Amino acid sequence: MANQSQHYKKLSLILDQLPWYVDEYINHKKRKLSAASLLNYAHDYKIFFQWLKNEHLHSAEIKNIPLDLLESLTTQQVESFLSFLQYELDNKEVTVNRKLSALKSLFNYLQNIAETRDLQPYLKRNVMAKIEFNEIKESMETIANKMEGKILMGDEYEKFRQFIATDYGIAIKDNKKLFNFHLLNRERDTAIVSLILGSGLRLSEVVNLNLDDIDYSKYTARVIRKGNKEQYVYFSRLAMDDLKEYLQIREERYKVEKSNKALFVAAAMGPKGTPRRLTARSIEKLIEKYAVAFGKPALSVHKLRHSFATRYHIEINDVPKLRRQLGHSSIQTTMIYTHISNDDLKHAVDKMDIPKDDV
């Protein structure tokens, strides 16, 4: 899939700056994690090791930080690092937890999996095992309530789709440059939004789609999910209709060569440019543009995924199937959608104020 090779190139550049045992750990995880996940891990480790040097716990290059330094770290020093993340880098509690999780995984490998030639662990003492995660105070209901105002509900699904297909063009018709740009891309943009709203695909999964990943008879898209797992994800008939409309104009309008297998493409830049795969940032920007004009500026690619999941749960009410559709590793992540738009609960609460004789 696209972008995998780019991620691995970036990963290799970062690993060149990190200690050898981090490189060994990343190689150990390659069979289980995607290139994007490994790259995130490497970024987190670079921040940690650079902090060790900045705190004068090591004087040479971070690449040369020895295992005995990790073994000698105190819980107070690790807590100081976590405070640095939260109060100096402005990381949210959930982000601090994610970076701590990455460090816990590395230290666990060094203590319990990796072995020297004489069958001794790399680390005999694991300070990260003593560090607790931040307690995320928000309940699922609170998170769901915050999300509800930022996603599409009810007839907004079709209104947003129609807005991209036609109404946005009408709204900006007096700006010739914007209008012509919309004319060029409206079928493509409609297909992208329709596909996310009709499947719940992640941004990276949409970006990496190739032409031959679509099964037109089964209404499925082949994607590589987190953990490098291949999965065929179902999408709606409306999404298929919009996708087919885009594919009818894709090759001629974007001047795409047959060798370019990217599903969603961008027009060539400049006279010598060539059409290219649409990037993640480009898709984010086009959604942001339409969201602001539509009157829901908080709407994003990820919120479109949430919109699909909420609608699916309301109509199907099958959490295990929704979990598979979204590619969640934990069902707890999927359970958040059971707290959005809980009309049965609202009705029950409303009935409490009605005199019993009237119920």
Side-chain angles (χ1 to χ4, degrees):
M1 301 291 281
N3 284 356
Q4 287 281 91
S5 60
Q6 291 182 357
H7 287 324
Y8 278 123
K9 285 179 182 177
K10 292 178 181 177
L11 177 63
S12 179
L13 291 174
I14 296 177
L15 289 177
D16 282 343
Q17 305 170 49
L18 295 175
W20 62 269
Y21 46 85
V22 177
D23 192 355
E24 182 180 304
Y25 166 76
I26 292 293
N27 279 323
H28 167 74
K29 300 294 286 187
K30 274 185 179 177
R31 290 185 294 108
K32 298 179 181 179
L33 296 177
S34 67
S37 296
L38 294 172
L39 187 58
N40 285 333
Y41 271 44
H43 278 298
D44 292 343
Y45 297 146
K46 185 176 179 182
I47 292 171
F48 174 66
F49 284 104
Q50 188 61 54
W51 179 85
L52 292 177
K53 181 176 180 179
N54 292 345
E55 291 295 303
H56 307 293
L57 297 172
H58 182 71
S59 56
E61 292 181 82
I62 62 175
K63 185 181 181 70
N64 297 322
I65 290 179
L67 283 166
D68 10 349
L69 174 56
L70 304 189
E71 198 166 50
S72 65
L73 287 174
T74 66
T75 56
Q76 293 91 335
Q77 287 170 326
V78 176
E79 293 289 357
S80 293
F81 169 68
L82 299 180
S83 295
F84 163 77
L85 293 176
Q86 188 164 349
Y87 299 112
E88 294 191 42
L89 296 190
D90 292 325
N91 286 174
K92 294 180 179 179
E93 288 182 339
V94 65
T95 306
V96 174
N97 278 354
R98 179 182 62 77
K99 291 179 177 178
L100 175 56
S101 177
L103 286 169
K104 279 178 171 286
S105 184
L106 171 63
F107 275 62
N108 179 68
Y109 169 79
L110 297 175
Q111 182 188 38
N112 297 313
I113 299 174
E115 295 176 329
T116 63
R117 290 187 178 180
D118 55 354
L119 305 182
Q120 295 298 309
Y122 286 180
L123 293 183
K124 292 182 179 179
R125 177 179 170 276
N126 179 359
V127 66
M128 293 298 169
K130 302 181 180 183
I131 308 298
E132 296 182 354
F133 289 107
N134 283 326
E135 182 180 347
I136 306 299
K137 300 176 181 62
E138 291 183 327
S139 67
M140 281 191 175
E141 288 86 352
T142 303
I143 297 171
N145 288 336
K146 285 184 177 181
M147 189 189 302
E148 189 169 347
K150 300 176 182 178
I151 63 176
L152 299 174
M153 303 289 289
D155 60 359
E156 287 183 323
Y157 293 87
E158 181 56 21
K159 283 183 178 178
F160 187 58
R161 178 187 160 277
Q162 281 295 333
F163 180 77
I164 295 171
T166 56
D167 297 347
Y168 177 78
I170 296 171
I172 50 96
K173 66 181 186 301
D174 293 334
N175 187 320
K176 192 171 181 180
K177 183 177 179 181
L178 288 180
F179 182 71
N180 288 336
F181 189 75
H182 181 249
L183 280 181
L184 173 69
N185 296 310
R186 63 183 178 181
E187 288 90 354
R188 180 200 67 188
D189 296 353
T190 303
I192 290 171
V193 169
S194 194
L195 183 60
I196 300 172
L197 285 176
S199 66
L201 288 177
R202 294 181 176 90
L203 173 60
S204 60
E205 293 165 353
V206 174
V207 169
N208 291 330
L209 282 172
N210 289 327
L211 293 171
D212 55 6
D213 289 327
I214 305 298
D215 188 320
Y216 298 93
S217 61
K218 295 180 180 177
Y219 292 77
T220 61
R222 174 185 171 272
V223 298
I224 303 299
R225 310 224 93 148
K226 288 185 176 181
N228 276 332
K229 295 176 182 177
E230 180 182 274
Q231 184 180 332
Y232 290 83
V233 179
Y234 290 99
F235 56 89
S236 68
R237 291 181 179 274
L238 182 58
M240 178 64 87
D241 291 341
D242 289 335
L243 194 55
K244 286 181 176 178
E245 189 171 344
Y246 158 67
L247 289 172
Q248 286 178 356
I249 59 92
R250 172 186 172 275
E251 190 172 328
E252 183 177 348
R253 186 176 299 175
Y254 292 95
K255 305 293 186 286
V256 186
E257 296 181 358
K258 293 190 181 298
S259 58
N260 187 339
K261 299 301 181 183
L263 179 60
F264 294 114
V265 294
M269 298 286 287
K272 294 184 179 180
T274 57
R276 63 203 186 284
R277 183 183 296 272
L278 202 60
T279 65
R281 184 61 192 135
S282 295
I283 293 179
E284 287 176 329
K285 287 172 69 176
L286 71 88
I287 298 300
E288 288 168 6
K289 173 184 72 176
Y290 292 126
V292 170
F294 184 68
K296 293 201 75 153
L299 199 60
S300 63
V301 179
H302 202 59
K303 295 298 189 303
L304 294 182
R305 174 171 155 88
H306 288 321
S307 300
F308 162 81
T310 303
R311 187 178 189 182
Y312 185 102
H313 175 70
I314 291 171
E315 296 185 4
I316 308 298
N317 192 19
D318 189 325
V319 175
K321 285 183 179 178
L322 177 57
R323 174 192 177 187
R324 185 185 184 282
Q325 177 76 16
L326 296 174
H328 286 160
S329 57
S330 168
I331 200 164
Q332 293 302 315
T333 308
T334 316
M335 288 297 290
I336 188 174
Y337 301 107
T338 66
H339 297 273
I340 297 179
S341 190
N342 194 333
D343 293 332
D344 291 339
L345 178 58
K346 183 178 185 301
H347 181 62
V349 172
D350 288 343
K351 284 174 65 177
M352 292 170 64
D353 293 330
I354 304 173
K356 293 190 183 301
D357 292 343
D358 296 338
V359 177

